[in-house]
Amino acid sequence: MILNDLTLPLIVFFCTWTFTNGSDWLKNKKGPLEDKVLEVPEETEVPHAVYWFQATDPNVKSYKLGGETDNKTLIEKDGWLYLREPFDWETKKVHIITVEALDADLKTVEGPVSITIIVKDINDNRPEFNQTLYDGVVRQHSRPGRPFMRVYATDKDNPSTPNAKLNYSISNQIPDTYKVPLFQIDSKTGEISTTSAGAQNLDPNTGVEYILFLTVKDLEGLSDNAFIRNTQVKIIVKENLWKSPNTVIITENSTDPHPIQITQVQWNEPGAVYVLQQKERYPNFPFSIDEDGKISVTEPLDREERETYVLVVFAKDKANTNLEQPIEVYVSVTDINDNPPVCEVPLTVLEVQENEKIGNQIGSLKAFDLDESDSLNSVLKYQILDQEPKLPSSTMFIIDEYSGKIQIEHDRFQKTEVPEYNLTVKVTDMAGNPTGFYTVCSVVIRIIEGNDQIPIFEKQQYELNPIPEDTPVGTTLLTIGAIDDDEPKTGSSKILYNVVEGDAEGTFAISTDEETNQGHVVIRKPLDFETMPVYKLRIDARNPEPLVPGVVYNASSTAYLNISVIDVNEAPVFGSIEYQTMVKENIPVGNTILKVNAIDPEGSSIRYRLEGDVFNWLKINSETGDIITNTLLDRERTDTYKVRVIAVQFESPALESTVPVSINLVDVNDNPPMLTYQEPHFCFPVQEPKAVLMKAMDKDLDPHGPPFQFSLKGDDKNNTEDWEIVPVNDSFAKLKMRHISFEKIQYDVEVNIRDNGNLEKTYTVSVLFCKCSQNEHCYIDVQIQTGRPTVGATVGILLGTLLIPGVALSLVFYQLKKNKNKEPKATTPDTNPML
């Protein structure tokens, strides 16, 4: 619109008059002449009133613009700054102009001031894909969710606003053989990956090529007014080369030159960097990998050192980023017979009584082989090579060839003639195969006299001073002793002390001193006066060697020990090391939710107190230990509330104990659904029914959250006649127009939301219908406003106002002229009333 010298002042005058006399809109549109920052949406329909500058100097007659006007702005004499051409955010985002106030002589009396006009972006650009058609390759069994390609789109709108925030989606997949999506796209990044179904079903052997139809929307894809762009992606399925090879078998102690290649891995594309690591920390890691993925063993392996290795192989790009999950390579080292048998001890010492019978087993020779167990390489065979002396027979003993157990073959032992025998035993692996390794072990068999003497206690009754119940475990309380007259340092004279009565819990143990044959009574478990104040122990003394026939143990081999325990002041003891309970978060105030219990071992009274009650939700009965709700609980603040209970004695000194208490709060439906939506507007007049996308949320857990039920408030007839609810999913719904006959006003629609637990709340959704620019943005219509005269009306009013006085004056002058023509030519002052 072109404003001439007449119409523009009229518009300014009447707009100014109207705004000054009652328009709230003007409050933010006028102010003193000073530096200012203003915002103007791009593509605003012109002319558009931007700001009314009001200078304080009374001599101001006009205003002058300067700076970056770009012929898009102008200012009127009364200070109104107008937009004469629309701004374009994509072309220029900020315009800096100057304004100064002039007097009648066009001299500056105020200013100049700097005015920064920030151009506000609107959604006036469609997204653009950087390719019209994409090609992609996916490998069979690709990990679901790991991108194998990406599509990319841009939007020229302001990237910091929803106008340029893009949302990607797959609208179709061809073919759809399995009736499930095989591919997925990240809605924000455009990265395409396989779904779980795709990772399972994509097969390069079928030769199928897939076509994906993609859509990108701006406004984050949440608005029906979003701009859309489409493209296609052609995807080929290829075999996945990145996979673990079969288990590698390596024979130990190889004599071949090293390194030796044992296997190879391969990434799907050239250029990968391979990195080899160990899954476990080995002292030595004799493996390497080259740039082609060839894995080698760098030195001979020893199965006895390690039987298996797990190698972890990474494929990385040049930036050291993993291209995929690493794969594992299993290496198994096979055994060869490279270890001879080993005697468990250098010399095996056994004892045999003079009266031992033929066939009695007197002990075993123990040997082992480091080769693989349960293989022929480690099966041992025993053979007696020699016996010295060979009296009275050269075969006094025999040995089980596979177990090493030694038995008596002849029974004519005489200690005075042969006090001991020396056996030389050959132990061969591979079950005695001549090709196997062997070793020789030595066995000494000592001949001892028959065990015809029993141990006799020095005292039958032992006494001990009372001991405190807090005496540490491991403390030696007493040394006891018995005497055995059998041959010293033999199994016939060695004494073993056993508590056979009075200690069912095994609180005490008695160890034998190998040199003195004395027994040391030791505390094995903690003492407790309240449970057992006195112990009456019966102790038996026994030999490891059996007694000769006719000799039995009697009362002389038994002693008694009484132990008294002294009570000490102990801290209270709770019935549990930790208390846990589960309660609903809406449990009424004053209810008991848990009871803790502690007892004082000495029977003293106990009082309880709480610690760690940071929300002041609880209180405790100091006498009973009942934990009671002090205020309402709230699971939304914390789902597990942890406090501590202190139990304190009444004695002096007052000992105390602490126990943790965990209260798990069960969710109840105590939060109504919440509604979120973008403040909507629609252009007037409406061309087709549109909708507002609404989202419901709930702080409560399932099943008290979704699915949500959206409905219009039933008692509002306008709601149901103008609008309807269209469900989208469990959390979204659309408020949709039923028709297009809406007025150019704001509609407040009452929407009710009910959660799955039947808790509901009503919200007001405000929908504005307004006149829009070409880019569907509301603007303020300065040219014509309700209650204000148009330019034509203004001109008519002015002409009418001026015409009536003009006609009246014309009649007056005409009558005066007529009267003057009728008067006589000679007159006197007295006859001339006009003088």
Side-chain angles (χ1 to χ4, degrees), residues 153-413:
T154 57
D155 193 305
K156 293 182 180 179
D157 290 318
N158 189 345
S160 64
T161 68
N163 299 335
K165 286 183 169 55
L166 306 182
N167 179 278
Y168 299 90
S169 61
I170 299 175
S171 58
N172 201 2
Q173 167 191 297
I174 301 296
D176 190 13
T177 307
Y178 302 98
K179 304 302 179 185
V180 294
L182 303 181
F183 303 93
Q184 57 189 341
I185 189 169
D186 189 299
S187 62
K188 294 183 179 179
T189 66
E191 294 175 323
I192 300 175
S193 59
T194 60
T195 63
S196 296
Q200 180 179 355
N201 294 305
L202 292 175
D203 186 355
N205 298 319
T206 62
V208 175
E209 293 185 358
Y210 292 87
I211 297 178
L212 303 183
F213 294 85
L214 305 185
T215 299
V216 63
K217 297 180 180 180
D218 59 16
L219 295 177
E220 300 178 279
L222 298 177
S223 172
D224 288 341
N225 299 326
F227 286 119
I228 297 175
R229 189 74 72 176
N230 298 291
T231 192
Q232 296 180 22
V233 178
K234 183 172 70 173
I235 298 176
I236 299 174
V237 182
K238 290 187 177 181
E239 179 187 4
N240 191 352
L241 304 177
W242 185 244
K243 53 189 176 183
S244 296
N246 295 329
T247 299
V248 178
I249 307 297
I250 300 177
T251 301
E252 67 170 333
N253 296 321
S254 170
T255 58
D256 294 335
H258 286 71
I260 301 172
Q261 181 183 339
I262 57 175
T263 189
Q264 184 174 8
V265 297
Q266 183 178 352
W267 177 243
N268 294 312
E269 305 295 338
V273 177
Y274 299 103
V275 177
L276 186 65
Q277 294 183 1
Q278 50 187 331
K279 187 172 184 178
E280 302 175 11
R281 187 169 296 280
Y282 310 126
N284 183 33
F285 187 62
F287 300 94
S288 64
I289 191 169
D290 66 11
E291 60 184 9
D292 297 322
K294 295 177 182 178
I295 300 175
S296 300
V297 58
T298 59
E299 62 185 51
L301 303 181
D302 185 359
R303 192 208 62 83
E304 287 70 42
E305 181 179 317
R306 191 166 195 89
E307 296 182 11
T308 59
Y309 295 84
V310 182
L311 316 182
V312 183
V313 188
F314 295 82
K316 298 176 178 284
D317 60 17
K318 301 300 182 183
N320 202 35
T321 301
N322 289 340
L323 296 171
E324 181 57 274
Q325 292 278 34
I327 59 176
E328 295 182 348
V329 179
Y330 292 88
V331 178
S332 177
V333 185
T334 60
D335 185 45
I336 62 173
N337 190 26
D338 58 344
N339 290 280
V342 178
C343 305
E344 193 170 274
V345 294
L347 179 64
T348 299
V349 179
L350 303 176
E351 292 180 345
V352 59
Q353 295 185 46
E354 287 181 307
N355 59 347
E356 290 278 358
K357 300 299 182 180
I358 293 175
N360 282 6
Q361 180 183 317
I362 62 172
S364 297
L365 171 63
K366 298 185 181 299
F368 60 91
D369 194 299
L370 292 175
D371 289 318
E372 185 176 1
S373 60
D374 301 323
S375 73
L376 188 62
N377 296 335
S378 61
V379 176
L380 304 182
K381 184 177 181 180
Y382 298 85
Q383 177 187 4
I384 297 177
L385 297 178
D386 188 34
Q387 169 197 308
E388 290 294 338
K390 297 179 175 58
L391 299 174
S393 170
S394 61
T395 57
M396 297 295 291
F397 307 95
I398 59 175
I399 189 167
D400 185 288
E401 59 183 8
Y402 290 114
S403 68
K405 294 178 180 179
I406 300 176
Q407 294 174 282
I408 297 174
E409 188 171 16
H410 291 90
D411 60 351
R412 292 172 292 171
F413 295 107

Side-chain angles (χ1 to χ4, degrees), residues 682-686 688-690 718 721-723 736-745 747 749 767 769:
F682 296 105
C683 296
F684 180 85
V686 180
E688 58 180 352
K690 295 187 177 182
N718 291 333
E721 290 182 350
D722 294 342
W723 307 91
K736 188 176 181 181
M737 305 175 191
R738 286 186 177 273
H739 55 79
I740 60 174
S741 302
F742 290 91
E743 299 180 40
K744 192 171 61 172
I745 59 174
Y747 288 78
V749 185
V767 185
F769 291 87

Side-chain angles (χ1 to χ4, degrees), residues 66-189:
E68 303 171 358
T69 63
D70 298 331
N71 204 30
K72 294 182 180 292
T73 52
L74 60 86
I75 193 164
E76 291 298 324
K77 292 182 178 180
D78 59 357
W80 264 108
L81 177 65
Y82 275 86
L83 184 66
R84 64 191 302 171
E85 288 187 19
F87 289 133
D88 181 16
W89 183 89
E90 288 73 27
T91 302
K92 192 171 184 178
K93 299 172 178 56
V94 178
H95 296 259
I96 300 176
I97 61 175
T98 59
V99 179
E100 49 189 304
L102 310 177
D103 60 13
D105 296 327
L106 301 181
K107 294 182 179 180
T108 301
V109 293
E110 283 192 32
V113 297
S114 177
I115 308 299
T116 301
I117 301 177
I118 298 175
V119 182
K120 188 176 180 181
D121 182 49
I122 64 171
N123 192 30
D124 58 346
N125 289 281
R126 292 178 65 189
E128 295 285 347
F129 281 104
N130 64 339
Q131 294 179 216
T132 56
L133 179 65
Y134 292 85
D135 291 297
V137 174
V138 63
R139 295 287 176 171
Q140 184 183 22
H141 304 310
S142 290
R143 181 158 55 98
R146 180 171 183 82
F148 62 86
M149 68 172 298
R150 180 186 181 187
V151 297
Y152 185 72
T154 57
D155 193 305
K156 293 182 180 179
D157 290 318
N158 189 345
S160 64
T161 68
N163 299 335
K165 286 183 169 55
L166 306 182
N167 179 278
Y168 299 90
S169 61
I170 299 175
S171 58
N172 201 2
Q173 167 191 297
I174 301 296
D176 190 13
T177 307
Y178 302 98
K179 304 302 179 185
V180 294
L182 303 181
F183 303 93
Q184 57 189 341
I185 189 169
D186 189 299
S187 62
K188 294 183 179 179
T189 66

Side-chain angles (χ1 to χ4, degrees), residues 382-621:
Y382 298 85
Q383 177 187 4
I384 297 177
L385 297 178
D386 188 34
Q387 169 197 308
E388 290 294 338
K390 297 179 175 58
L391 299 174
S393 170
S394 61
T395 57
M396 297 295 291
F397 307 95
I398 59 175
I399 189 167
D400 185 288
E401 59 183 8
Y402 290 114
S403 68
K405 294 178 180 179
I406 300 176
Q407 294 174 282
I408 297 174
E409 188 171 16
H410 291 90
D411 60 351
R412 292 172 292 171
F413 295 107
Q414 293 291 330
K415 176 178 172 59
T416 56
E417 295 184 9
V418 181
E420 67 181 27
Y421 290 88
N422 293 282
L423 302 183
T424 302
V425 181
K426 179 181 179 181
V427 184
T428 308
D429 61 17
M430 296 188 71
N433 191 298
T435 62
F437 291 101
Y438 73 90
T439 191
V440 174
C441 299
S442 298
V443 179
V444 171
I445 301 175
R446 293 173 180 171
I447 309 303
I448 63 175
E449 297 176 354
N451 187 14
D452 55 0
Q453 301 294 320
I454 63 173
I456 298 175
F457 271 103
E458 298 170 345
K459 296 167 58 176
Q460 297 299 118
Q461 182 70 46
Y462 288 90
E463 297 296 335
L464 182 68
N465 292 330
I467 57 175
E469 62 179 325
D470 59 354
T471 303
V473 171
T475 300
T476 299
L477 302 178
L478 182 69
T479 297
I480 60 177
I483 297 174
D484 192 304
D485 290 333
D486 285 311
E487 184 180 356
K489 308 297 183 181
T490 68
S492 297
S493 61
K494 183 178 180 179
I495 302 175
L496 303 178
Y497 300 91
N498 302 301
V499 178
V500 294
E501 286 183 9
D503 185 19
E505 300 298 324
T507 306
F508 304 97
I510 305 177
S511 61
T512 300
D513 187 313
E514 296 290 338
E515 294 296 324
T516 65
N517 241 358
Q518 292 180 317
H520 302 293
V521 182
V522 179
I523 298 176
R524 183 168 170 264
K525 294 182 179 179
L527 304 175
D528 184 6
F529 171 84
E530 288 72 27
T531 302
M532 185 68 73
V534 176
Y535 292 88
K536 295 183 177 182
L537 308 182
R538 174 188 163 185
I539 303 171
D540 285 347
R542 296 292 186 263
N543 300 130
E545 285 289 335
L547 297 173
V548 299
V551 179
V552 295
Y553 295 104
N554 57 35
S556 299
S557 298
T558 299
Y560 296 89
L561 171 62
N562 294 335
I563 301 175
S564 298
V565 180
I566 300 174
D567 187 27
V568 297
N569 187 19
E570 299 172 278
V573 179
F574 281 96
S576 176
I577 60 173
E578 181 181 6
Y579 288 87
Q580 292 185 351
T581 189
M582 183 178 295
V583 297
K584 292 184 176 181
E585 61 175 322
N586 65 342
I587 183 173
V589 174
N591 275 26
T592 298
I593 61 175
L594 180 67
K595 180 182 178 68
V596 300
N597 182 54
I599 59 173
D600 183 75
E602 289 70 49
S604 175
S605 297
I606 292 176
R607 291 293 182 267
Y608 301 94
R609 72 173 188 269
L610 275 179
E611 284 187 356
D613 183 17
V614 294
F615 295 150
N616 198 29
W617 282 353
L618 308 171
K619 58 184 178 181
I620 191 169
N621 187 312

Side-chain angles (χ1 to χ4, degrees), residues 744-763:
K744 192 171 61 172
I745 59 174
Q746 176 174 297
Y747 288 78
D748 292 329
V749 185
E750 302 295 315
V751 176
N752 184 268
I753 307 177
R754 177 181 298 173
D755 62 25
N756 198 38
N758 291 324
L759 191 61
E760 59 185 356
K761 186 174 181 179
T762 300
Y763 293 89

Side-chain angles (χ1 to χ4, degrees), residues 820 822-835:
K820 182 177 180 180
K822 292 181 180 180
E823 291 176 356
K825 294 182 179 179
T827 61
T828 63
D830 295 335
T831 63
N832 189 354
M834 301 296 293
L835 298 177

